[in-house]
């Protein structure tokens, strides 16, 4: 009787591994990185925070496309000044060129979001101000 729980646990464990293998679990491939220059489908948003998030992702796409890097690579480089400098060096650009690309990307994304009525005048003005004047 004491062996029954051990046998049951073993059967469940083996079944779990069998199901994993049967459904292709051994052939996992990560999703490819999306081209930042390719248009992305519109997202349904429910609040201001989500709308601003969409604008910032669009800005990252715009900037990454202009720089010829992936959006993920750009966003990871924004974690620190050293990583921004490393990305600039890797792409044979100056830090000023990277900063100009970031500002231009945010500006274009804000303009597009305002045209599509994703954000209002006040939010667009605040984001535009940030893009033009705040240090990066």
């Amino acid at each position: 009787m004491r062996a029954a729980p051990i046998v049951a646990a073993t059967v469940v464990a083996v079944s779990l591994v069998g199901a994993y293998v049967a459904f292709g679990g051994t052939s996992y491939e990560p999703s490819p990185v999306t081209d930042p220059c390719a248009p992305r489908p519109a997202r349904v948003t429910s609040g201001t925070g989500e709308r601003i998030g969409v604008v910032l992702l669009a800005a990252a796409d715009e900037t990454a496309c202009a720089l010829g890097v992936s959006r993920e690579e750009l966003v990871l480089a924004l974690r620190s000044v050293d990583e921004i400098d490393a990305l600039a060096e890797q792409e044979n650009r100056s830090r000023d060129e990277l900063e100009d690309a970031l500002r231009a990307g945010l500006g274009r994304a804000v303009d597009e979001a305002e045209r599509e009525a994703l954000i209002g005048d006040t939010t667009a003005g605040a984001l535009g101000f940030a893009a033009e004047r705040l240090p990066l």
Side-chain angles (χ1 to χ4, degrees):
M1 285 294 222
R2 291 184 180 176
I6 294 173
V7 171
T10 303
V11 169
V12 169
V14 169
S15 298
L16 190 63
V17 171
Y20 176 78
V21 170
F23 288 112
T26 59
S27 62
Y28 170 77
E29 291 183 27
S31 299
V33 175
T34 304
D35 179 2
C37 300
R40 295 196 190 242
R43 288 182 44 190
V44 177
T45 58
S46 61
T48 304
E50 284 184 25
R51 289 184 186 111
I52 291 173
V54 168
V55 172
L56 294 177
L57 289 174
D61 278 338
E62 292 274 347
T63 304
C65 181
L67 295 173
V69 299
S70 71
R71 178 175 76 182
E72 293 75 10
E73 189 176 7
L74 173 68
V75 170
L76 289 173
L78 294 174
R79 294 183 295 184
S80 73
V81 173
D82 291 339
E83 292 187 48
I84 290 172
D85 290 340
L87 179 63
E89 184 177 328
Q90 173 187 324
E91 296 301 315
N92 295 319
R93 297 177 185 262
S94 71
R95 189 165 179 210
D96 288 340
E97 288 176 304
L98 231 64
E99 185 175 314
D100 290 344
L102 284 164
R103 291 182 191 285
L106 181 56
R108 284 191 301 272
V110 167
D111 290 345
E112 182 179 327
E114 189 175 19
R115 273 194 313 275
E116 294 174 0
L118 188 62
I119 58 175
D121 293 345
T122 304
T123 304
L127 290 173
F129 176 84
E132 293 172 10
R133 293 179 181 84
L134 294 181
L136 298 177

